[in-house]
Amino acid sequence: MPKSSAQVDSLCRQAQDPAHAAGAAVANPINLTIDDIPVAVPEGSTILQAASVAGLRIPTLCNHPDLRAGGHCRVCVVEIVGQRGLHAACTYPATPGLKVVTSSPSVRKARRHVIDLLLANHYGECNTCSRNRNCELQSLAREYGVDAFRFGQPAAPRHAIDHTSASIVRDMNKCVLCRRCVRTCNELQDVGCLAIEGRGAKSHITTFGDKPLASVVCISCGQCINRCPTGALSEADQTDEIWAMLDDPSKHVVIQTAPSPRAAIGECFGLPPGTALTFEMNTAIKRIGFDAVFDTNFSADLTIIEEGTELLQRLHGALVRQDPEVRLPQLTSCSPGWIKYIEHFYPDQLGLLSSAKSPQQMFGSVIKTYYAEQHGIDAKDIVSVALMPCTAKKFECDRPEMADSGHKDVDFALTARELAKMVREAGIDLPHLPKSDFDDPFETPTGSGVIFGATGGVMEAALRTVIELVTGRKVEDFYENANIVPVRGIEGVRLIELPIPEVGPVPELLRHLFDDFEWLRGATLRVGVAHGTANARKVMDDIKKGGVFSTCHFIEVMACPGGCLGGGGQPIPTSPEIRAARARAIYGEDASYAVRKSHENPQIARIYQEFLEEGPGGHKAHELLHTTYTPRGKFIS
């Protein structure tokens, strides 16, 4: 550990998942009784948590395992023997000797009244709602026997639907004022785009100045969607546009699929979290009508080569040339939500970002150039679709700088939920399909590309390659089975030191840039990992004040908790346990691949030989695979 390990430990403690932090203490157990069942729970637990330990379910609408308790909806009310009135189980602390009743006539009646009142303010048709059959309000209404609108229902919408964002649609007619979106935006992501305004019956969720979502500081991460219990928030659905492209015989429609949706889409079909359907999904996509299905792992490997080369160039500039213009630490640029976050909140630090495009956008450039040339297709007739775990990818597609191919690099970004909708619409039973491989010429996946989906995965993939290129030895000589475990984990921020005791000859791939690596012999590479933009803020503030992370050379930042596998376009619901199951699927798939390092992907070697002839970091690679970003600041006119 570095000398300033106390600073790192402090940051890590601050960055713990709220759900885990809530139940972290195990000393001084509290003994209480719930429905005549004795329960012992850690000090600091709530009645709701104690009921869960006892195997009892208390319904709730505003509570979420990723967020601190709010006590807003009152669906979770319970009786406490000896006390007047009913109490919210999600906020009432478990205390010694407490006797709780979770189901009594008064409790059931109160919960039913709360649900009836919510429905009295809820406008919208369930049959046409994106959350139909996956709506928590709908489920509670069914559970509590709501068969009529006892307090009436709105006859017309009271709010205009906000379609201004490229990523997110807001329909406040369906809002139940649970405040999950507000707490997600403030607690989990530290963006503060959404807020509660007014009191009592005049309460409503709003943005700054009640402006449209596209006119405020929103990073398009979609984390609010994943925690909204109803259809008040959803992704900007592009499925109809894609169906139109598939039905147009003049269009050649291709899709790239990222690893995270493949580890999660099964949840949309009733399978347990972490059920990988990579190759069954390929079959479904081809049956839908796509002309080719490619693996985003290819461009993830390409990203590693370009980003790793950039890191070595920056290190050479700082250590050998001692160039004061070189900016370190280099920050990853794969996550579009993170990119938008730094553009808004730290525009003066954009120079730290890697210039490498995300894998989605790199693949888009390659498809509209190299692939088009290889197959003799006019790039204007290619429709490039990306299956991503992320709603911010929709915004990224529309960035004006993402057109270096002479065309829009990626035309559409589909979420896992949108693809599941298309699969069902086509009458396809995804879980029971036969398996299909990816298509040429990008059919060879690597384990490094797969682990991009988990927090720390980009860093691990980069280190597998950089260690081998610099030392000339197999990464397995340093880490068992090439698993660089120190960069894995659920901690919000991590810092790791990797000594470089020896160096090898410069590999052919990089000889156009370096004569030797002697300048790295005996150096210690310091790398960091952060996930969730609230944790990114801790790292960025630490860098600005010259703290421990300012001494890093390379830092991976992902906008979403858990990384891409917790993205805003993934199946709903989400929780720490669900994200952990998806991560296990991703690492399991990585372990199954014969090729697990980006620089060993034969298709990567081929594209540098046939198309990017100047090699990594060359002029053509920079023209197509790299970009710059826009300082936006916190105020939008």
Side-chain angles (χ1 to χ4, degrees):
M1 290 290 289
K3 292 180 181 178
S4 48
S5 62
Q7 291 175 271
V8 182
D9 292 341
S10 175
L11 281 167
C12 288
R13 284 194 298 273
Q14 295 174 43
Q16 289 293 329
D17 190 316
H20 288 279
V26 293
N28 304 319
I30 302 297
N31 294 290
L32 66 159
T33 301
I34 305 180
D35 291 346
D36 296 325
I37 300 173
V39 188
V41 293
E43 186 178 23
S45 299
T46 63
I47 290 175
L48 186 66
Q49 291 167 330
S52 178
V53 170
L56 298 169
R57 177 181 173 275
I58 297 176
T60 182
L61 200 59
C62 68
N63 191 69
H64 193 279
D66 288 326
L67 306 172
R68 288 193 289 268
H72 304 298
C73 72
R74 318 308 283 185
V75 172
C76 68
V77 291
V78 295
E79 281 187 9
I80 298 176
V81 176
Q83 296 190 19
R84 295 177 59 189
L86 302 177
H87 304 271
C90 69
T91 56
Y92 200 101
T95 54
L98 208 64
K99 292 185 178 181
V100 180
V101 179
T102 69
S103 181
S104 67
S106 60
V107 167
R108 292 195 301 273
K109 186 180 294 185
R111 290 176 184 169
R112 170 71 182 265
H113 280 326
V114 168
I115 295 165
D116 282 330
L117 287 167
L118 289 172
L119 289 170
N121 288 301
H122 185 79
Y123 176 83
E125 285 291 335
C126 289
N127 289 339
T128 57
C129 180
S130 63
R131 292 292 298 276
N132 187 25
R133 302 183 69 184
N134 186 23
C135 169
E136 294 178 47
L137 178 60
Q138 187 183 59
S139 297
L140 284 172
R142 182 168 55 248
E143 181 180 350
Y144 280 84
V146 175
D147 52 10
F149 294 98
R150 292 195 300 148
F151 300 137
Q153 68 175 135
R158 290 174 294 174
H159 308 280
I161 300 174
D162 182 1
H163 290 282
T164 59
S165 169
S167 302
I168 299 170
V169 175
R170 291 179 71 233
D171 183 357
M172 292 296 98
N173 297 293
K174 299 175 182 176
C175 178
V176 294
L177 293 174
C178 68
R179 296 164 173 79
R180 282 192 196 171
C181 59
V182 175
R183 288 179 286 152
T184 296
C185 199
N186 285 273
E187 296 173 19
L188 208 59
Q189 297 299 82
D190 203 14
V191 175
C193 170
L194 301 173
I196 186 78
E197 187 175 278
R199 296 177 65 85
K202 295 183 179 180
S203 297
H204 63 284
I205 307 296
T206 186
T207 60
F208 176 77
D210 205 25
K211 292 179 179 291
L213 209 52
S215 300
V216 295
V217 178
C218 169
I219 65 171
S220 300
C221 67
Q223 291 302 306
C224 54
I225 300 174
N226 280 12
R227 288 161 187 82
C228 177
T230 67
L233 293 161
S234 60
E235 67 264 60
D237 192 322
Q238 295 178 295
T239 56
D240 284 344
E241 295 169 79
I242 294 171
W243 279 122
M245 295 295 103
L246 291 169
D247 293 339
D248 186 342
S250 69
K251 298 299 182 184
H252 184 77
V253 189
V254 302
I255 187 170
Q256 54 167 303
T257 71
S260 293
R262 304 183 323 221
I265 196 169
E267 296 163 37
C268 296
F269 296 87
L271 298 181
T275 305
L277 293 175
T278 301
F279 300 102
E280 293 88 348
M281 202 171 70
N282 288 352
T283 304
I285 288 169
K286 291 173 183 177
R287 290 187 182 181
I288 283 173
F290 284 87
D291 294 296
V293 53
F294 301 131
D295 194 341
T296 307
N297 292 349
F298 162 80
S299 52
D301 288 336
L302 193 59
T303 300
I304 289 299
I305 299 301
E306 290 295 325
E307 199 168 52
T309 299
E310 181 184 3
L311 174 63
L312 290 172
Q313 288 178 303
R314 290 198 193 197
L315 291 174
H316 187 268
L319 299 175
V320 179
R321 300 198 316 272
Q322 298 186 344
D323 183 350
E325 299 297 316
V326 172
R327 299 289 303 275
L328 288 171
Q330 178 176 302
L331 307 176
T332 59
S333 52
C334 300
S335 167
W338 151 240
I339 294 298
K340 201 160 188 286
Y341 184 86
I342 192 174
E343 287 178 331
H344 283 304
F345 292 94
Y346 298 92
D348 58 326
Q349 301 298 315
L350 286 177
L352 294 177
L353 283 175
S354 167
S355 64
K357 290 180 180 178
S358 71
Q360 170 182 284
Q361 295 304 133
M362 280 197 185
F363 217 148
S365 289
V366 168
I367 286 170
K368 296 284 180 83
T369 54
Y370 176 67
Y371 175 78
E373 291 177 13
Q374 291 278 310
H375 288 75
I377 305 171
D378 193 323
K380 70 178 177 58
D381 295 324
I382 296 177
V383 178
S384 177
V385 181
L387 172 66
M388 292 288 147
C390 178
T391 51
K393 288 293 183 183
K394 294 176 180 287
F395 176 85
E396 185 180 36
C397 286
D398 289 343
R399 281 179 173 269
E401 58 267 38
M402 297 300 180
D404 293 316
S405 63
H407 304 270
K408 188 178 178 181
D409 291 341
V410 178
D411 298 292
F412 301 101
L414 272 180
T415 64
R417 296 188 296 264
E418 286 175 287
L419 181 64
K421 175 185 172 183
M422 293 182 73
V423 169
R424 284 193 294 265
E425 191 173 341
I428 295 171
D429 183 10
L430 177 61
H432 298 100
L433 289 178
K435 297 182 178 183
S436 297
D437 288 329
F438 291 99
D439 289 313
D440 293 339
F442 313 111
E443 74 277 16
T444 306
T446 74
S448 283
V450 170
I451 60 176
F452 259 61
T455 173
V458 175
M459 182 60 66
E460 182 169 357
L463 292 176
R464 286 178 185 176
T465 286
V466 170
I467 286 171
E468 290 204 356
L469 294 181
V470 169
T471 67
R473 291 176 55 185
K474 291 292 184 182
V475 71
E476 288 87 348
D477 294 344
F478 305 96
Y479 297 96
E480 186 176 359
N481 298 323
N483 296 326
I484 307 180
V485 176
V487 300
R488 301 180 184 182
I490 62 168
E491 298 89 355
V493 293
R494 281 153 278 161
L495 189 148
I496 306 96
E497 290 189 341
L498 300 102
I500 307 175
E502 57 186 281
V503 296
V506 177
E508 184 178 353
L509 187 69
L510 298 177
R511 283 178 193 160
H512 62 293
L513 296 173
F514 307 104
D515 295 324
D516 60 64
F517 285 136
E518 287 301 319
W519 47 279
L520 280 174
R521 187 186 296 274
T524 297
L525 185 65
R526 303 187 74 186
V527 301
V529 176
H531 62 110
T533 46
N535 293 320
R537 181 185 289 275
K538 295 181 178 71
V539 170
M540 294 305 297
D541 287 345
D542 184 73
I543 289 172
K544 290 192 73 171
K545 70 182 181 184
V548 64
F549 280 94
S550 70
T551 66
C552 282
H553 304 104
F554 192 32
I555 301 177
E556 175 202 309
V557 183
M558 290 291 172
C560 299
C564 295
L565 52 83
Q570 292 283 71
I572 299 170
T574 186
S575 70
E577 292 74 25
I578 288 172
R579 295 192 293 273
R582 294 171 184 168
R584 287 192 294 272
I586 283 175
Y587 285 115
E589 194 165 327
D590 162 45
S592 72
Y593 285 141
V595 180
R596 299 181 61 216
K597 301 155 193 173
S598 299
H599 58 288
E600 293 181 350
N601 186 334
Q603 302 301 333
I604 293 296
R606 179 180 172 187
I607 198 170
Y608 280 113
Q609 291 167 1
E610 296 181 353
F611 186 62
L612 306 170
E613 300 95 340
E614 296 165 315
H619 175 74
K620 195 169 187 177
H622 258 284
E623 182 181 342
L624 292 175
L625 308 181
H626 293 254
T627 190
T628 56
Y629 294 103
T630 305
R632 299 177 189 272
K634 297 180 185 177
F635 300 97
I636 301 176
S637 59

